[in-house]
Amino acid sequence: MVPGEENQLVPKEDVFWRCRQNIFDEMKKKFLQIENAAEEPRVLCIIQDTTNSKTVSERITLNLPASTPVRKLFEDVANKVGYINGTFDLTWGNGVNTADTAPLDHTSDKSLLDANFEPGKKNFLHLTDKDGEPPQMLLEDSNNVDDSVHDRFIGPLPREGSVASTNDYVSQSYSYSSILSKSETGYVGLVNQAMTCYLNSLLQTLFMTPEFRNALYKWEFEDSEEDPVTSIPYQLQRLFVLLQTSKKRAIETTDVTRSFGWDSSEAWQQHDVQELCRVMFDALEQKWKQTEQADLINELYQGKLKDYVRCLECGYEGWRIDTYLDIPLVIRPYGSSQAFASVEEALHAFIQPEILDGPNQYFCERCKKKCDARKGLRFLHFPYLLTLQLKRFDFDYTTMHRIKLNDRMSFPEELDMSTFIDIEDEKSPQTESCTDSGAENEGSCHSDQMSNDFSTDDAVDEGICLESSSGSEKISKPGLEKNSLMYELFSVMVHSGSAAGGHYYACIKSFSDDQWYSFNDQHVSRITQEDIKKTHGGSSGSRGYYSSAFASSTNAYMLIYRLKDPTRNAKFLEVDEYPEHIKNLVQKERELEEQEKRQREIERNTCKIKLFCLHPVKQVMMENKLEVHKDKTLKEAVEMAYKMMDLEDVIPLDCCRLVKYDEFHDYLERSYEGEEDTPMGLLLGGVKSTYMFDLLLETRKPDQIFQSYKPGEVMVKVHVVDLKAETVAAPVTVRAYLNQTVTEFKQLISKATHLPADSMRIVLERCYNDLRLLSMPSKTLKAEGFFRSNKVFVESSETVDHQAAFTDSHLWKLLDRHANTIRLFVLLPEQSPGSYSKRTAYQKAGGDSGNVDDDCERVKGPAGNLKSVDAILEESTEKLKSLSLQQQQDGDNGDSSKSTETSDFENIESPLNERGSSTSVDNRDLDQHIQTSDPENFQSEERSDSDVNNDRSTSSVDSDILSSSHSSDTLCNADSAQIPLANGLDSHSITSSRRTKANEGKKETWDTAEEDSGTDSEYDESGKSRGDMQYMYFKADPYTADEGSGEGHKWLMVHVDKRITLAAFKQHLEPFVGVLSSHFKVFRVYTSNQEFETVRLNETLSSFSDDNKITIRLGRALKKGEYRVKVCQLLVNEQEPCKFLLDAVFAKGMTVRQSKEELIPQLREQCGLDLSIDRFRLRKKTWKNPGTVFLDYHIYEEDINISSNWEVFLEVLDGVEKMKSMSQLAILTRRWRPAEMKLDPFQELVLESNSVDELREKLSEISGIPLEDIEFAKGRGTFPCDISVLDIHQDLDWNPKVSTLNVWPLYICDDGAVIFYRDKTEEVMELTDEQRNELMKKESSRLQKTGHRVTYSPRKEKALKIYLDGAPNKDVAQD
């Protein structure tokens, strides 16, 4: 129902408008405030905390109104970082206002605008110490909660209920200020070197033990007797002093570990804390021999127990007394799924005797026979400090894995040990009538209940998080009796993680205030009894049977109790009670800490910048790092740089100055005239972590003056070109402005080089090989493309070269050659047909001067009356043509099994020696020298080269070189046009051509094939050398190598155009090597002296750079269409089925039979294998997997794809080859005998089709198993598809329901597949547990050796050792 108008509830008109007006006024007021705030400029403050090295990288950002007072800025910063306001200073930092270095006044009411802050810009501030004292941390308000609640820290994550800061500057786990200085608890943490948390836990426990610390302080180190670096007690003493007096939050333990004889690698090995305790105590006892502390460890930690056996027939008891340093308590009894509930239960189980009966009967000396007996342990004496080790690490023999037992085991705060002392013994617990047998391993306990400790795993996880445990336990505190054995808990060493690794920390009770603390590496915090209860282990809730599997991995591992005896309980020594040597040590460490603090202050105010200097004599650019305090003047910095660059004996100091430099662009930005007394901090723009520029120490000659460099200028390096001498001079530097014209620039260069400006030509090199002639006089330098640093070439000769087009001019050709010429160092072979002496003899006989320099000049160009390189190469072309024809004839008529390696060195005539009739004798001498050379030497060299080639894939080399040796998509020659590639090379399309067929005989047509698939021919189709097609600069000079880099060998220093092909480069080297280019190989030498063969002949030297080294080795280089192939023997029934035999050369167009014929003599000579051609086969090799069988009539590159660095299997046959057709299938079969739990050797089956029925028939035929009982399965993985005999029967997919082999799940389409088969009626052998475990070990060992299916392979553990002399190598030698 709609109410009538008269019934509507409407306020009175005046009330309504009054309310409306109030709302509008309020809104207007707020809008005005927002508008004013928006109009008010804001100041962006970026504060860097420099009070600690760990916080230097942190930045605090505040965006405040410009009217904000300075004191409010301090308050905001204090709240942001957690400091007490007034305990720190704010000073101007990098960027702006660097002139004002005085700290800001934290009480000032000045606005930020009045305090010289710049609105709209970044204002950098440094937060620094106040009066040399670090800032004080702001303690959080307790809110009436106990202080300990706020300060708890168990592990890296905050415990539940702890107070965490909410601001964005504080991390989740602890406040920003907590990492700056000493913890508010008053205790100092220890830095974790990497995985040394176990060491830190033990050291903090020993430090918090009053009796141990006091005794350590009483020991005095004698400098004369021992090196302090290797003295373990002294380094522990120093560490304890630092833990007690240092102002740092955490200190390093590197000095302690160094005294152990450990290196940095030990920091990455996590060990068991109990093992460390044993080893360290043993080392301290050795060091403390014949001192007052000699028996300290035994007095504090050693107890005694009796190991006895009592005959149950006559009561005779045999026993011995052993000593122990700790008591190992089993968490879960062997074979039981139930853990002991408490430490008391585990102690009772420890001394619970066992009955020796049945086969375990004891031979009684009194009864003279085997009798039932009771065997057990009894405690005779408990130590003052009782150590209990909870054996949480065990070995699961079912899974063969190490495991950690996370079951709950409670332990009391006070432990009464009187109930465990000498039970059922008539003698007094402290009787002396028992003879101590003096156990060899002091401190060890012998008990059948002890399981092996597998807790020394390498650490993986250094993180930790405590789980909350349910329920609380009441700790009873019975009244202490005078002679009671009541112990109080004061240290719990906790392990968090698994058996594979984890993290240790310690919960320790201070005897000074009875407060518990968590010592977690560098973090120290207060904790409560509730936190201690969480280390009992177990799950956070009831999970029934699977409770252990879901239990927290954070639990107690070692417990240390102290006997409650007021007469013996000591307190920590006070400062005035320190021995004199400790007082001196405290003073010394304080001075060192103050010195470190001052050094850190200096570091924070030190400018570190790159420094360069072009050595005035050596003309080598030197680089260093200049570290100069910000208050040092420029004059002082120049002197520092002068000494740093070792110029004292080279040039006077007044001939040096520092200038601003851009090393990337090689640009001098500005000089600092008149600013010699300016502080470096001001010149460099403050102290920064990195600078966007560098400094150059510029030098001058005494008669020169320094040029002034102004901002905005560009630097130009001017090279003067002499066209007549064809030289390019060293650069002269000039400064110019971008708005200058080319005409003005010419006048500037004319003054610097004294060349006439009218005839001057200027060429700008804007980037590599981009030459531009400056031909527009009125154009500015900026328009011409000048930048900060530029390079120009100038020439001012009066020649006709000026009229020629620039790209056709002599100047362009000279500059083009200059830009592309590189310097290479070539190492010639030591003993070769072309050795220096023989080359000289040949040259003299031919009418040459015999001078190597003349020879170099001859190959340089067609100057003089000497034969040019062109002529030499023309002659070599003709010789190679005739040589090729003769080789073909020899191939038709000669022995087909002759090795190509030998034939290539026959009938060689050097093109260098055809100068007349006298050269024929020299040629015969050369031929004789080559032929009589030991062929084994050539073969061995070839082998070593291929070994180097084999390593290419694993070496870090240039990708261009890798591609040249591995890629099957090689650059090939064909009749088609060239295709330009992105890298500047030319590619040729690969076209089909005639192939050599098997029925055409043994004619080696691949030498003249038109295609190329591996390497490139040195000659084109016309037979003309490619080196003749385009002239490329080449000049070689003898060179003497530096000491240590091949001195005594014969070197050439070669200047060559890097656009030359490898083929042409090798032809130029022929006169110096003494053999044809086809009979030596080129190896590029990389850093660390790695060598890789360069084989692609049509590629240029563009990947080479100045001063690269090249090694020349004798041996036949690959021809066009040839490939170097690695031949490996396939041994299917050997542990290692792949064995390398040799390197061979296969060629495109060659048949498989031809390659086998060439392999036969090589196999006989190199491998001792005397095989006939029908008794071995070649097959595809894919890693270690045998593949397709190659038939004799297959042709490489037509039927078989072949590529660089190819590998092939050679398989020796037991009989005649059965594979005759590609339709056949060769399969490797292996019988599984479940009744015997073994596998038979491999047998090969050749199938005529891919039918499963045929496979079954063949398997039945070779095995004798009835056809209907045959079951088979395909092997998994790579050859030989190894699998454990314990798994094969059920893990494989037996008897697949298919009719052909080429369908799922078999997919057998190629040779080499592995098939397992069995008789389905044969039952699996039943194994006992012992047999199964033994077989499991054997199979694990077998599979690990073959590299197949090892389910558990932990990293090798490293034993924990402490070396008393600080030298592990000596200790090993002693062992």
Side-chain angles (χ1 to χ4, degrees):
M1 175 181 177
V2 179
E5 222 175 277
E6 64 275 14
N7 296 326
Q8 291 184 8
L9 299 176
V10 180
K12 293 182 179 181
E13 187 173 345
D14 56 340
V15 176
F16 174 79
W17 286 108
R18 196 181 308 120
C19 293
R20 185 176 179 183
Q21 188 63 38
N22 291 338
I23 294 173
F24 282 155
D25 292 344
E26 196 68 31
M27 291 177 64
K28 183 178 179 181
K29 183 178 179 181
K30 288 185 178 180
F31 280 130
L32 286 174
Q33 289 177 352
I34 295 173
E35 187 178 356
N36 292 336
E39 291 177 356
E40 182 180 1
R42 301 187 72 84
V43 175
L44 180 63
C45 302
I46 300 176
I47 300 100
Q48 179 184 14
D49 190 345
T50 63
T51 59
N52 187 281
S53 59
K54 295 181 180 178
T55 61
V56 169
S57 59
E58 301 285 350
R59 298 289 188 275
I60 310 160
T61 303
L62 297 173
N63 193 5
L64 305 174
S67 60
T68 304
V70 173
R71 58 176 176 77
K72 185 65 170 63
L73 170 66
F74 274 85
E75 292 173 5
D76 290 347
V77 171
N79 291 332
K80 201 78 169 171
V81 300
Y83 290 152
I84 296 177
N85 192 11
T87 63
F88 60 89
D89 281 334
L90 291 179
T91 60
W92 289 110
N94 306 334
V96 297
N97 299 313
T98 53
D100 188 2
T101 57
L104 300 174
D105 183 5
H106 72 281
T107 62
S108 174
D109 287 326
K110 278 186 178 181
S111 67
L112 298 182
L113 197 61
D114 295 336
N116 296 328
F117 283 79
E118 297 185 32
K121 293 185 178 180
K122 295 179 181 179
N123 296 269
F124 292 92
L125 297 171
H126 280 170
L127 191 153
T128 62
D129 297 340
K130 188 175 182 65
D131 300 329
E133 292 295 326
Q136 298 178 20
M137 288 172 296
L138 181 64
L139 296 178
E140 296 169 349
D141 187 13
S142 62
N143 293 330
N144 298 322
V145 181
D146 184 65
D147 291 341
S148 63
V149 175
H150 288 283
D151 210 18
R152 287 172 208 155
F153 185 81
I154 303 289
L157 299 179
R159 61 182 296 277
E160 190 175 330
S162 62
V163 177
S165 178
T166 57
N167 64 63
D168 58 354
Y169 194 71
V170 180
S171 68
Q172 282 188 331
S173 56
Y174 50 90
S175 67
Y176 167 83
S177 58
S178 67
I179 66 172
L180 297 178
S181 59
K182 192 170 183 177
S183 168
E184 55 270 27
T185 62
Y187 291 104
V188 178
L190 294 174
V191 175
N192 191 333
Q193 295 182 37
M195 292 182 177
T196 57
C197 53
Y198 67 99
L199 172 66
N200 294 348
S201 301
L202 181 61
L203 291 175
Q204 292 283 19
T205 298
L206 295 177
F207 172 73
M208 296 295 287
T209 306
E211 292 78 8
F212 185 88
R213 191 204 300 184
N214 296 345
L216 182 65
Y217 281 176
K218 291 177 183 178
W219 176 81
E220 185 173 1
F221 174 71
E222 299 291 341
D223 280 321
S224 58
E225 296 181 2
E226 192 178 5
D227 183 2
V229 175
T230 59
S231 175
I232 298 173
Y234 177 69
Q235 294 302 334
L236 281 177
Q237 203 175 67
R238 284 189 62 240
L239 183 74
F240 282 14
V241 166
L242 289 173
L243 285 173
Q244 194 167 355
T245 63
S246 177
K247 295 180 181 179
K248 297 179 181 177
R249 177 175 183 81
I251 58 176
E252 298 281 352
T253 58
T254 49
D255 289 339
V256 174
T257 55
R258 193 178 295 114
S259 71
F260 291 170
W262 295 358
D263 56 20
S264 58
S265 65
E266 288 285 350
W268 295 93
Q269 296 282 338
Q270 190 180 65
H271 294 288
D272 182 74
V273 68
Q274 184 264 351
E275 182 187 11
L276 173 69
C277 184
R278 288 282 192 82
V279 175
M280 186 190 292
F281 281 176
D282 185 61
L284 288 173
E285 284 185 317
Q286 295 294 325
K287 289 287 188 179
W288 278 336
K289 281 183 177 179
Q290 299 178 352
T291 67
E292 187 181 335
Q293 288 75 21
D295 294 327
L296 176 65
I297 301 300
N298 293 338
E299 290 173 359
L300 295 179
Y301 295 94
Q302 182 177 278
K304 290 183 181 180
L305 55 78
K306 177 194 287 187
D307 187 351
Y308 69 92
V309 180
R310 175 176 291 181
C311 177
L312 295 181
E313 292 189 15
C314 67
Y316 172 79
E317 182 178 288
W319 54 273
R320 71 172 184 182
I321 294 177
D322 287 335
T323 59
Y324 63 90
L325 294 179
D326 54 65
I327 302 174
L329 299 180
V330 174
I331 298 290
R332 190 190 300 169
Y334 180 75
S336 172
S337 61
Q338 188 66 34
F340 293 121
S342 64
V343 164
E344 293 92 328
E345 276 190 34
L347 282 168
H348 280 293
F350 186 82
I351 60 177
Q352 180 68 32
E354 63 173 322
I355 302 299
L356 303 179
D357 57 4
N360 297 324
Q361 279 187 327
Y362 163 72
F363 185 84
C364 179
E365 294 291 339
R366 183 179 297 174
C367 300
K368 301 299 181 183
K369 65 174 183 178
K370 286 190 175 182
C371 306
D372 290 351
R374 180 184 291 114
K375 183 182 186 302
L377 300 170
R378 295 177 187 155
F379 289 112
L380 300 179
H381 170 68
F382 288 113
Y384 177 70
L385 297 172
L386 178 65
T387 304
L388 304 179
Q389 181 201 3
L390 309 185
K391 298 188 70 63
R392 293 193 174 274
F393 299 103
D394 209 338
F395 192 81
D396 188 339
Y397 288 96
T398 304
T399 61
M400 303 300 287
H401 283 202
R402 301 179 183 198
I403 59 173
K404 182 183 177 187
L405 303 175
N406 293 313
D407 301 80
R408 176 180 175 80
M409 178 178 276
S410 63
F411 46 87
E413 186 176 3
E414 291 188 351
L415 179 63
D416 186 2
M417 296 299 290
S418 59
T419 58
F420 305 103
I421 193 78
D422 204 12
I423 298 175
E424 297 184 6
D425 199 341
E426 298 174 358
K427 299 177 182 179
S428 168
Q430 305 297 334
T431 181
E432 297 297 330
S433 62
C434 298
T435 304
D436 192 329
S437 63
E440 290 181 3
N441 296 324
E442 183 175 317
S444 64
C445 296
H446 305 278
S447 170
D448 293 344
Q449 299 178 44
M450 297 183 212
S451 58
N452 293 329
D453 184 8
F454 297 97
S455 58
T456 55
D457 292 12
D458 296 313
V460 177
D461 177 21
E462 283 287 287
I464 174 177
C465 178
L466 281 183
E467 300 289 344
S468 59
S469 59
S470 62
S472 58
E473 297 186 5
K474 295 181 180 180
I475 300 175
S476 60
K477 296 184 178 181
L480 299 181
E481 300 177 5
K482 184 176 182 180
N483 294 323
S484 68
L485 290 174
M486 187 64 68
Y487 284 82
E488 62 176 326
L489 180 69
F490 79 95
S491 177
V492 181
M493 277 173 261
V494 183
H495 180 269
S496 175
S498 66
H503 176 65
Y504 285 99
Y505 66 94
C507 299
I508 306 173
K509 183 174 77 170
S510 170
F511 290 110
S512 301
D513 57 6
D514 287 335
Q515 170 65 46
W516 281 92
Y517 296 91
S518 169
F519 291 84
N520 192 346
D521 290 336
Q522 58 263 45
H523 307 291
V524 185
S525 55
R526 294 184 182 91
I527 56 176
T528 65
Q529 273 294 332
E530 289 301 315
D531 296 312
I532 300 299
K533 289 180 182 180
K534 291 178 183 178
T535 65
H536 290 178
S539 59
S540 57
S542 176
R543 294 181 183 263
Y545 180 79
Y546 296 101
S547 60
S548 178
F550 294 95
S552 168
S553 66
T554 301
N555 34 54
Y557 181 64
M558 275 186 71
L559 310 173
I560 300 183
Y561 287 83
R562 186 175 78 163
L563 182 66
K564 297 188 72 171
D565 185 356
T567 62
R568 295 185 64 183
N569 294 158
K571 294 183 178 181
F572 296 113
L573 291 177
E574 299 295 335
V575 177
D576 55 352
E577 298 174 340
Y578 286 166
E580 194 61 33
H581 63 275
I582 294 297
K583 292 181 179 178
N584 296 335
L585 183 59
V586 170
Q587 183 62 29
K588 178 181 176 182
E589 294 301 330
R590 281 179 178 170
E591 291 174 359
L592 287 174
E593 194 166 304
E594 288 298 322
Q595 184 178 348
E596 288 179 11
K597 184 178 178 181
R598 289 193 296 270
Q599 187 62 36
R600 287 196 302 271
E601 185 66 27
I602 293 173
E603 286 288 326
R604 286 199 296 266
N605 293 287
T606 298
C607 304
K608 299 177 182 179
I609 188 169
K610 274 188 180 181
L611 175 68
F612 295 89
C613 178
L614 182 65
H615 197 281
V617 176
K618 300 178 182 178
Q619 292 298 304
V620 175
M621 183 64 81
M622 302 181 293
E623 180 181 348
N624 213 321
K625 178 171 277 192
L626 179 64
E627 298 184 3
V628 56
H629 194 276
K630 66 178 184 180
D631 296 332
K632 293 279 186 182
T633 63
L634 176 62
K635 184 178 181 181
E636 293 171 316
V638 171
E639 187 174 352
M640 291 172 61
Y642 175 74
K643 293 178 180 178
M644 186 179 293
M645 292 298 181
D646 294 326
L647 299 180
E648 289 95 332
D649 301 328
V650 180
I651 197 170
L653 176 60
D654 58 0
C655 292
C656 302
R657 71 169 179 177
L658 286 174
V659 296
K660 192 174 181 180
Y661 176 59
D662 180 359
E663 187 259 343
F664 181 78
H665 295 100
D666 192 20
Y667 171 60
L668 298 172
E669 293 192 17
R670 61 158 297 187
S671 53
Y672 299 105
E673 287 84 2
E675 299 187 69
E676 288 76 11
D677 296 327
T678 305
M680 289 298 293
L682 189 59
L683 283 180
L684 300 180
V687 180
K688 300 179 181 180
S689 55
T690 56
Y691 291 89
M692 300 301 294
F693 56 90
D694 312 299
L695 291 179
L696 174 73
L697 185 65
E698 191 180 22
T699 61
R700 63 175 175 84
K701 294 180 181 179
D703 57 343
Q704 293 177 329
I705 59 172
F706 281 122
Q707 185 179 353
S708 176
Y709 307 140
K710 299 177 181 178
E713 293 178 331
V714 295
M715 190 173 72
V716 184
K717 291 186 176 181
V718 180
H719 296 261
V720 177
V721 179
D722 188 337
L723 290 181
K724 292 182 180 179
E726 294 190 343
T727 60
V728 179
V732 176
T733 302
V734 299
R735 309 274 294 189
Y737 289 97
L738 292 176
N739 57 0
Q740 285 181 322
T741 62
V742 172
T743 301
E744 294 171 338
F745 185 53
K746 284 184 178 181
Q747 297 294 334
L748 185 64
I749 293 178
S750 178
K751 294 178 181 178
T753 60
H754 307 293
L755 294 176
D758 297 338
S759 59
M760 183 182 295
R761 285 187 292 176
I762 302 178
V763 178
L764 169 66
E765 186 181 74
R766 292 188 294 185
C767 56
Y768 167 71
N769 214 22
D770 179 12
L771 303 175
R772 177 172 184 172
L773 181 66
L774 306 185
S775 56
M776 305 284 291
S778 59
K779 210 169 183 180
T780 63
L781 299 186
K782 184 176 182 179
E784 290 285 6
F786 277 69
F787 190 56
R788 306 175 89 187
S789 182
N790 308 274
K791 182 179 181 180
V792 300
F793 301 90
V794 298
E795 188 273 332
S796 191
S797 61
E798 297 287 347
T799 62
V800 294
D801 196 52
H802 283 251
Q803 279 99 30
F806 176 58
T807 53
D808 297 328
S809 65
H810 188 194
L811 175 61
W812 186 89
K813 293 177 181 178
L814 182 60
L815 294 180
D816 180 66
R817 189 189 79 183
H818 172 76
N820 288 284
T821 299
I822 56 174
R823 182 176 66 179
L824 303 175
F825 295 100
V826 180
L827 175 62
L828 299 174
E830 292 185 31
Q831 296 179 350
S832 68
S835 62
Y836 252 53
S837 58
K838 289 189 178 293
R839 281 205 307 274
T840 306
Y842 302 150
Q843 290 158 2
K844 287 182 178 179
D848 285 351
S849 64
N851 191 309
V852 177
D853 291 336
D854 293 340
D855 202 12
C856 297
E857 290 300 323
R858 181 172 66 254
V859 299
K860 175 181 177 182
N865 297 324
L866 299 175
K867 266 192 175 181
S868 66
V869 172
D870 295 339
I872 293 174
L873 297 180
E874 191 69 42
E875 293 175 15
S876 67
T877 302
E878 298 301 325
K879 293 298 176 186
L880 287 175
K881 280 185 179 180
S882 61
L883 178 61
S884 177
L885 290 174
Q886 187 166 348
Q887 284 177 342
Q888 291 180 13
Q889 294 170 2
D890 292 344
D892 291 335
N893 304 323
D895 184 7
S896 62
S897 64
K898 182 181 292 186
S899 172
T900 58
E901 297 290 337
T902 307
S903 64
D904 287 329
F905 283 97
E906 295 178 358
N907 303 321
I908 296 177
E909 294 183 3
S910 173
L912 299 177
N913 301 320
E914 286 205 51
R915 299 297 176 92
S917 59
S918 61
T919 60
S920 60
V921 178
D922 297 305
N923 288 333
R924 287 194 296 271
D925 290 342
L926 176 60
D927 294 356
Q928 184 179 4
H929 180 88
I930 298 174
Q931 292 170 7
T932 57
S933 297
D934 186 4
E936 293 292 333
N937 292 339
F938 287 105
Q939 190 62 45
S940 63
E941 281 202 25
E942 190 74 20
R943 172 73 185 90
S944 64
D945 297 341
S946 56
D947 278 347
V948 174
N949 262 340
N950 192 33
D951 293 335
R952 291 181 190 174
S953 60
T954 57
S955 303
S956 57
V957 296
D958 193 277
S959 58
D960 293 338
I961 304 304
L962 281 176
S963 64
S964 69
S965 61
H966 284 278
S967 175
S968 60
D969 301 329
T970 53
L971 302 179
C972 304
N973 291 322
D975 297 333
S976 60
Q978 298 180 359
I979 304 172
L981 300 179
N983 59 4
L985 301 177
D986 292 327
S987 174
H988 303 266
S989 62
I990 302 176
T991 59
S992 60
S993 63
R994 54 187 174 84
R995 304 281 187 177
T996 304
K997 302 299 181 182
N999 57 8
E1000 291 178 4
K1002 300 174 184 175
K1003 186 175 181 181
E1004 298 181 309
T1005 58
W1006 53 84
D1007 284 343
T1008 57
E1010 295 177 1
E1011 289 189 65
D1012 180 22
S1013 301
T1015 55
D1016 304 301
S1017 175
E1018 298 179 28
Y1019 307 95
D1020 62 7
E1021 288 77 1
S1022 65
K1024 187 176 181 181
S1025 168
R1026 289 182 183 169
D1028 295 338
M1029 294 180 182
Q1030 181 181 3
Y1031 172 73
M1032 293 293 180
Y1033 180 73
F1034 180 97
K1035 182 177 183 297
D1037 298 299
Y1039 172 73
T1040 303
D1042 297 333
E1043 183 178 354
S1045 60
E1047 59 174 338
H1049 297 279
K1050 296 176 178 60
W1051 287 83
L1052 289 178
M1053 181 170 64
V1054 177
H1055 291 84
V1056 62
D1057 193 315
K1058 62 183 178 183
R1059 294 169 295 184
I1060 196 172
T1061 63
L1062 177 63
F1065 179 67
K1066 290 181 67 176
Q1067 291 167 12
H1068 282 306
L1069 288 176
E1070 283 180 353
F1072 307 101
V1073 182
V1075 296
L1076 296 179
S1077 60
S1078 60
H1079 291 86
F1080 66 84
K1081 294 176 283 187
V1082 176
F1083 288 83
R1084 184 172 179 178
V1085 183
Y1086 288 85
T1087 54
S1088 70
N1089 292 324
Q1090 287 183 305
E1091 295 184 356
F1092 299 94
E1093 184 180 1
T1094 304
V1095 296
R1096 302 182 68 168
L1097 297 175
N1098 72 340
E1099 283 196 352
T1100 65
L1101 304 184
S1102 58
S1103 64
F1104 288 75
S1105 57
D1106 274 331
D1107 298 338
N1108 277 171
K1109 292 182 181 179
I1110 289 175
T1111 299
I1112 303 298
R1113 289 206 179 122
L1114 296 180
R1116 185 170 78 78
L1118 295 178
K1119 298 178 183 178
K1120 177 181 178 180
E1122 290 185 336
Y1123 301 88
R1124 206 176 306 280
V1125 177
K1126 292 190 176 300
V1127 181
C1128 301
Q1129 186 176 1
L1130 176 63
L1131 303 165
V1132 293
N1133 286 309
E1134 296 292 331
Q1135 183 173 315
E1136 179 51 58
C1138 178
K1139 176 186 176 184
F1140 174 79
L1141 294 178
L1142 51 81
D1143 281 303
V1145 176
F1146 291 0
K1148 176 175 57 177
M1150 177 188 283
T1151 65
V1152 172
R1153 185 174 183 86
Q1154 287 174 323
S1155 63
K1156 288 167 66 176
E1157 289 173 347
E1158 292 198 3
L1159 281 175
I1160 288 174
Q1162 299 178 52
L1163 291 169
R1164 186 185 304 115
E1165 294 169 8
Q1166 299 182 44
C1167 308
L1169 292 176
D1170 193 2
L1171 302 173
S1172 64
I1173 196 166
D1174 295 324
R1175 293 303 298 273
F1176 72 97
R1177 65 162 67 131
L1178 300 180
R1179 65 190 303 168
K1180 183 179 179 181
K1181 179 179 182 292
T1182 307
W1183 193 44
K1184 292 185 179 181
N1185 295 317
T1188 307
V1189 174
F1190 299 147
L1191 305 181
D1192 284 352
Y1193 58 82
H1194 282 167
I1195 300 174
Y1196 296 115
E1197 283 289 1
E1198 184 172 320
D1199 304 308
I1200 302 169
N1201 291 327
I1202 189 170
S1203 60
S1204 300
N1205 208 30
W1206 199 50
E1207 294 185 353
V1208 67
F1209 266 132
L1210 181 148
E1211 185 178 11
V1212 180
L1213 302 174
D1214 296 330
V1216 180
E1217 174 65 83
K1218 298 179 182 178
M1219 291 289 293
K1220 303 294 183 183
S1221 167
M1222 288 299 294
S1223 63
Q1224 294 175 304
L1225 198 61
I1227 291 178
L1228 293 167
T1229 65
R1230 198 171 189 185
R1231 181 172 179 178
W1232 158 238
R1233 299 181 182 270
E1236 303 174 36
M1237 298 295 285
K1238 73 172 187 178
L1239 287 163
D1240 287 352
F1242 279 105
Q1243 287 182 282
E1244 184 180 78
L1245 284 184
V1246 176
L1247 305 179
E1248 300 300 326
S1249 66
N1250 60 3
S1251 169
V1252 171
D1253 292 337
E1254 182 184 358
L1255 172 63
R1256 290 178 180 275
E1257 291 172 3
K1258 291 287 180 72
L1259 291 176
S1260 178
E1261 182 181 331
I1262 64 172
S1263 65
I1265 302 173
L1267 184 62
E1268 62 273 10
D1269 295 333
I1270 288 284
E1271 289 186 336
F1272 70 92
K1274 182 183 177 183
R1276 295 174 181 170
T1278 57
F1279 185 81
C1281 304
D1282 262 328
I1283 185 172
S1284 171
V1285 296
L1286 295 172
D1287 302 330
I1288 186 173
H1289 202 73
Q1290 64 271 9
D1291 278 9
L1292 295 183
D1293 185 13
W1294 289 98
N1295 211 27
K1297 306 300 182 183
V1298 293
S1299 59
T1300 58
L1301 301 176
N1302 59 353
V1303 296
W1304 184 87
L1306 297 177
Y1307 286 126
I1308 299 176
C1309 305
D1310 197 5
D1311 302 324
V1314 173
I1315 292 291
F1316 294 99
Y1317 67 97
R1318 69 185 179 189
D1319 185 345
K1320 70 177 183 181
T1321 63
E1322 190 174 343
E1323 297 293 333
V1324 180
M1325 177 181 178
E1326 293 187 6
L1327 300 173
T1328 64
D1329 289 343
E1330 185 177 348
Q1331 288 175 325
R1332 182 174 294 276
N1333 289 337
E1334 185 66 26
L1335 189 57
M1336 185 183 296
K1337 292 178 183 177
K1338 288 182 180 179
E1339 286 295 284
S1340 178
S1341 175
R1342 178 178 69 87
L1343 295 176
Q1344 193 166 9
K1345 288 179 182 177
T1346 58
H1348 289 78
R1349 272 197 77 179
V1350 181
T1351 56
Y1352 181 65
S1353 179
R1355 289 178 289 175
K1356 187 176 180 181
E1357 294 177 1
K1358 189 173 181 180
L1360 189 150
K1361 290 184 179 180
I1362 290 179
Y1363 306 94
L1364 298 181
D1365 56 0
N1369 54 341
K1370 294 181 182 178
D1371 185 76
V1372 172
Q1374 289 172 0
D1375 292 343

